[in-house]
Amino acid sequence: MEVDRADGRTRNQLRPLACTRGTLNRAHGSATWSQGETKVLAAVFGPKAGTKKNENPEKACIEVIWKPKTGQIGKPEKEYEMILKTTLQSICLLTVNPNTTTSIIVQVVNDDGALLPCAINAACAALVDAGIPLKHLAVAICCCLPDGGYVILDPCKLEEQRTKAFAYLVFPNSLASVRRKGSLQVEVEPVEHGIITSVTRGVMPVEDYLRCLERGRAVSAKLSEFLRRSM
Amino acid sequence: MEQRLANTWQMTVNEKKFIETALLSDLRVDGRRPFDYRRLIIKFGREDGLSEVQLGHTHVMGFVTSQLVQPYRDRPNEGTLAIFTEFSPMADPSFEAGRPGESAVELGRIIDRGLRESRAIDTESLCVVAGKFVWAIRIDLHILDNGGNLVDAANIAALAALSTFRRPECSLGGKDAQEVIVHPPETREPLPLIIHHLPIAVTFAFLGKDNIVVVDPTHYEEAVMGGRMTATVNMNGDVCAIQKAGGVGVMHSVIMQCLRIASVKAADMTTKIKNAVSTSLYAYSPQVESYKTERSQRMIKRHTSTAAVDVSEPSHKEINVLLRHHLERSTIRSGELIASSSNAMEIETQLSEQDEKQRDGGARTFIGGPSNWDPLSKGVDSDALKVSLASRGAVRANTKLEESKIENLDVFEQSHPLADVNPVPPLHEVAAIDLQTKGERTLKDAVKPKHKRKKKPSSKTDAS
């Protein structure tokens, strides 16, 4: 039974994606990523000399600054910064440039739901534009659970506000490589079945969460395809 | 400490000498003459009050919001205007997050003085209940890219955002008419701000030992300049503000020359901003269109004999007018979007649909709600589309935006087409075309105009 969402999409349909790289001149790398109406601009500066005080000088350090569209910077912005920082730290090759800082600045241009996944995708694209060495890319998706017990993907702001629980999931992108299938596996499963970050809001039963994960994985393959085409 | 020095960008002596020597022969590094501005691009977002300005390499985003607050004690019947500037670290590696530095504060103050003290925005119209509720307008300016001359670009962004901002309409209600009810935009059309004039900031830099004057410095020129001056003037020739904070001393004759140049530049800039704003409004809101339609219908009735123009396919032209503007709107707004074929198809069907309904029920398809792009919109009915296209007989449903753009330019040969799609087509030209095509419609359907108008409000409520 296909549910009619407010904008006519089916449950598993994403909003149209658009990605442009190299939009800014002073920044070393920049990208805008838009999913439907949600649009985020990310810029990367780095690597710069020196790390922050409490950071390990044997590795590169990542610094994230989140700029909201309007208003003061408060706790939600700090939380986003922290999530972005840990996510990006896991995809960057930190040992290539030790004792350096790479700054990523995220500017929200428009927020229409699924803001954090959009920002993660934009930051990833900006890192690629800047040429920062990465292990693999990250693709982020938002899955939301309205009352019916089914999973819908990529909600807009109204849907996000009305739902009782949602999850932001970040997966590594799917790899297209010339090496043998077996060598890219971690234990038994292929690398792209891993999950980098998961942020949930609201209460959801365990089976629903696992269903979200499955859906997310399926969509991450599509997103990786889009990333590959646009880069 | 050493890290910060290592990370700052220093200007080399060679670069400095090159800039100064080139200026002696009236040449600037990017090929401009001393009093030329860089290319200006003004884009608008989907919602009201969001503008993005590119002046050469400088990118600034402006966003206007409003809120009901208590007024200041000494001005109980005036609204307030506040400007917040954010020098984002993405603009320049030397900008730091956190507290605004002195250049950020100075920029904010220059723009604030230009708007507030020259009374460009009418604050008394923002009063709702004197002494209790007034509208507080907040302008957020985000500097995204520092290519030099942030003041001018930020000023234009602020003006563009204010011109397209709409505040919700509110009325008094409740028990003793003291409660303020704010109407959401779906029930009542939001109102624009009353802007008396547009104060334009023009920045001059003084370079070299002879204090050569240049307009609109790039950030390389700013690094080598001896001093700078910003003059805020408006189109009527009024000087709203002058800022010369320190720097090298210049002769008063030079200052007077700068003011004269500034008023010329201000006139030019004002027309550019007004054109960009009216193009975006024209493309966005059918309210403006229908208001203009009604006005032009009334005018046509008076001048029936003079309205005869050779228009072979009025409907074709009209669709193309809408198409062209919608294309411009979409190229302006989403110039970088990967135009999927479904997207383009959907734009065309929307337009032909809207044309069918004669712009009365079309309010919903045009004004951007968050889901206006959707490839599977309910309104798209391919059979109905084919019928409408067959009846018009002239529009080919292209699936590529570029093809249709070229087609439109061909159609408009008679009426001076623009070579490139810029966000500044002259509005009077478009309005003239509009008048002609509207004229043809009312002459042909002379029986119906009153019925059409009566239908409009009812079908709007149906649609909403």
Side-chain angles (χ1 to χ4, degrees):
Chain A
M1 208 52 78
E2 288 303 325
V3 172
D4 224 358
R5 292 161 77 171
D7 45 17
R9 286 185 284 155
T10 62
R11 276 185 234 171
N12 295 334
Q13 217 174 2
L14 301 175
R15 291 176 285 184
L17 302 167
C19 168
T20 33
R21 289 182 302 127
T23 42
L24 303 177
N25 298 100
R26 296 298 298 277
H28 297 148
S30 59
T32 60
W33 183 284
S34 58
Q35 285 175 207
E37 289 298 313
T38 306
K39 188 168 169 192
V40 176
L41 168 68
V44 171
F45 278 100
K48 293 187 281 195
T51 48
K52 295 230 155 93
K53 261 196 184 157
N54 298 327
E55 302 276 350
N56 185 359
E58 299 203 4
K59 289 190 174 175
C61 160
I62 305 238
E63 175 196 16
V64 177
I65 300 169
W66 180 287
K67 291 268 173 200
K69 191 172 178 188
T70 180
Q72 301 275 18
I73 296 186
K75 297 275 163 57
E77 283 77 32
K78 293 282 175 207
E79 187 194 353
Y80 286 149
E81 284 179 10
M82 187 207 71
I83 297 172
L84 258 177
K85 179 177 160 156
T86 44
T87 307
L88 295 173
Q89 259 175 349
S90 68
I91 65 169
C92 287
L93 283 165
L94 296 174
T95 48
V96 175
N97 297 315
N99 204 17
T100 59
T101 306
T102 305
S103 315
I104 297 153
I105 302 109
V106 174
Q107 168 76 51
V108 177
V109 178
N110 197 21
D111 178 13
D112 188 36
L115 184 61
L116 187 60
C118 194
I120 293 174
N121 291 329
C124 226
L127 283 170
V128 169
D129 192 44
I132 308 288
L134 304 172
K135 289 181 215 159
H136 49 74
L137 297 175
V139 289
I141 187 70
C142 176
C143 306
C144 131
L145 289 163
D147 294 324
Y150 48 86
V151 180
I152 61 175
L153 292 174
D154 201 15
C156 64
K157 194 151 191 136
L158 287 171
E159 291 172 340
E160 225 178 51
Q161 280 165 347
R162 273 186 274 147
T163 189
K164 62 176 168 68
F166 58 86
Y168 297 134
L169 302 165
V170 184
F171 298 96
N173 75 329
S174 59
L175 303 165
S177 167
V178 294
R179 294 164 69 186
R180 288 179 307 124
K181 269 260 191 253
S183 61
L184 291 173
Q185 287 184 348
V186 178
E187 296 186 40
V188 193
E189 299 195 51
V191 175
E192 56 256 31
H193 282 190
I195 180 166
I196 302 179
T197 302
S198 152
V199 182
T200 58
R201 296 266 159 81
V203 182
M204 62 174 89
V206 179
E207 306 86 47
D208 283 351
Y209 180 67
L210 293 174
R211 242 183 288 158
C212 284
L213 280 182
E214 271 175 46
R215 281 300 161 73
R217 254 185 228 127
V219 172
S220 71
K222 292 271 167 57
L223 275 175
S224 317
E225 265 312 304
F226 171 76
L227 262 178
R228 200 165 281 129
R229 265 185 292 130
S230 62
M231 301 247 166
Chain B
M1 182 63 190
E2 299 80 24
Q3 293 164 11
R4 192 177 292 187
L5 282 176
N7 288 332
T8 51
W9 163 72
Q10 304 277 10
M11 190 76 159
T12 62
V13 175
N14 279 344
E15 284 174 327
K16 184 170 171 185
K17 283 259 170 343
F18 183 80
I19 292 177
E20 290 176 3
T21 323
L23 266 179
L24 291 173
S25 14
D26 262 3
L27 278 176
R28 291 165 80 171
V29 176
D30 49 5
R32 287 186 283 159
R33 288 169 312 161
F35 300 131
D36 282 347
Y37 255 94
R38 287 172 288 182
R39 193 167 72 128
L40 175 69
I41 301 175
I42 305 178
K43 292 190 222 174
F44 296 95
R46 195 181 262 279
E47 51 187 352
D48 299 329
L50 180 66
S51 72
E52 199 178 312
V53 168
Q54 271 177 262
L55 182 64
H57 284 321
T58 303
H59 269 72
V60 180
M61 190 171 84
F63 185 48
V64 179
T65 43
S66 64
Q67 212 188 356
L68 272 177
V69 295
Q70 269 200 336
Y72 291 125
R73 287 247 188 93
D74 52 346
R75 283 171 208 253
N77 54 352
E78 278 186 22
T80 61
L81 184 72
I83 300 185
F84 290 85
T85 41
E86 291 244 6
F87 271 36
S88 171
M90 73 164 67
D92 197 307
S94 60
F95 294 164
E96 284 173 9
R99 290 190 67 150
E102 38 177 61
S103 42
V105 173
E106 189 187 0
L107 189 145
R109 287 293 302 136
I110 296 175
I111 299 179
D112 188 73
R113 242 183 305 150
L115 285 174
R116 187 199 305 276
E117 299 185 13
S118 63
R119 310 221 170 253
I121 310 286
D122 186 40
T123 46
E124 289 188 359
S125 61
L126 298 173
C127 177
V128 180
V129 178
K132 287 215 186 130
F133 289 114
V134 296
W135 284 107
I137 306 287
R138 177 191 166 117
I139 307 173
D140 281 282
L141 293 167
H142 299 284
I143 313 286
L144 302 175
D145 206 1
N146 180 16
N149 198 7
L150 294 172
V151 179
D152 292 9
N155 197 30
I156 296 173
L159 292 173
L162 284 168
S163 308
T164 54
F165 173 67
R166 300 281 177 268
R167 65 169 174 86
E169 192 178 328
C170 53
S171 52
L172 296 172
K175 291 165 278 207
D176 49 353
Q178 285 299 308
E179 269 178 40
V180 179
I181 309 166
V182 178
H183 298 278
E186 291 83 34
T187 48
R188 285 213 209 162
E189 192 68 22
L191 308 167
L193 296 174
I194 298 179
I195 303 177
H196 296 301
H197 62 93
L198 293 175
I200 309 281
V202 181
T203 301
F204 301 89
F206 307 113
L207 294 162
K209 60 176 172 51
D210 303 326
N211 287 335
I212 305 174
V213 181
V214 296
V215 169
D216 188 20
T218 60
H219 77 276
Y220 289 113
E221 290 166 343
E222 282 184 348
V224 298
M225 68 184 173
R228 75 151 96 208
M229 185 181 89
T230 302
T232 308
V233 296
N234 69 9
M235 206 162 82
N236 309 328
D238 304 323
V239 175
C240 305
I242 299 183
Q243 170 95 354
K244 186 185 186 307
V248 74
V250 289
M251 308 282 287
H252 61 267
S253 51
V254 173
I255 304 277
M256 294 312 291
Q257 188 201 13
C258 289
L259 288 179
R260 276 190 286 269
I261 297 169
S263 50
V264 171
K265 296 292 172 192
D268 187 34
M269 206 60 81
T270 310
T271 40
K272 281 189 190 163
I273 296 177
K274 284 194 175 154
N275 284 339
V277 168
S278 52
T279 315
S280 81
L281 284 179
Y282 191 78
Y284 268 112
S285 90
Q287 298 303 110
V288 179
E289 270 181 56
S290 55
Y291 167 71
K292 285 187 176 154
T293 316
E294 294 210 36
R295 211 157 40 110
S296 51
Q297 273 178 358
R298 273 179 256 137
M299 284 171 67
I300 291 297
K301 276 187 179 164
R302 272 183 271 131
H303 308 285
T304 46
S305 54
T306 55
V309 175
D310 184 46
V311 179
S312 50
E313 295 162 335
S315 51
H316 181 198
K317 260 210 169 170
E318 198 169 355
I319 292 175
N320 281 328
V321 169
L322 294 172
L323 255 180
R324 177 165 145 237
H325 279 286
H326 199 107
L327 286 173
E328 283 172 7
R329 189 243 303 193
S330 39
T331 45
I332 292 164
R333 202 169 39 76
S334 51
E336 67 276 280
L337 263 186
I338 300 170
S340 57
S341 55
S342 57
N343 223 351
M345 189 64 195
E346 193 267 343
I347 289 173
E348 313 231 355
T349 54
Q350 272 187 355
L351 285 165
S352 49
E353 246 190 40
Q354 216 216 15
D355 186 53
E356 269 179 23
K357 294 179 196 167
Q358 319 243 334
R359 276 179 226 95
D360 35 11
R364 268 227 313 185
T365 53
F366 235 100
I367 284 188
S371 50
N372 206 27
W373 45 268
D374 47 288
L376 304 173
S377 72
K378 311 175 264 292
V380 174
D381 187 4
S382 53
D383 295 326
L385 168 63
K386 282 178 192 158
V387 165
S388 74
L389 288 178
S391 67
R392 304 289 176 196
V395 179
R396 296 194 303 271
N398 295 321
T399 51
K400 292 209 171 159
L401 282 174
E402 293 87 349
E403 285 177 12
S404 41
K405 204 204 300 186
I406 296 170
E407 195 191 63
N408 292 338
L409 289 176
D410 289 337
V411 168
F412 277 120
E413 258 166 11
Q414 319 166 16
S415 40
H416 318 291
L418 299 173
D420 53 331
V421 179
N422 244 348
V424 278
L427 183 63
H428 61 272
E429 179 190 320
V430 170
I433 299 166
D434 208 24
L435 270 174
Q436 293 167 10
T437 53
K438 296 304 171 304
E440 291 307 304
R441 294 189 78 80
T442 47
L443 284 175
K444 281 191 177 178
D445 316 341
V447 189
K448 279 194 188 172
K450 280 206 173 164
H451 294 295
K452 272 191 220 160
R453 266 185 241 135
K454 274 188 188 160
K455 266 190 198 159
K456 274 183 204 166
S458 58
S459 55
K460 251 188 222 143
T461 50
D462 286 343
S464 62

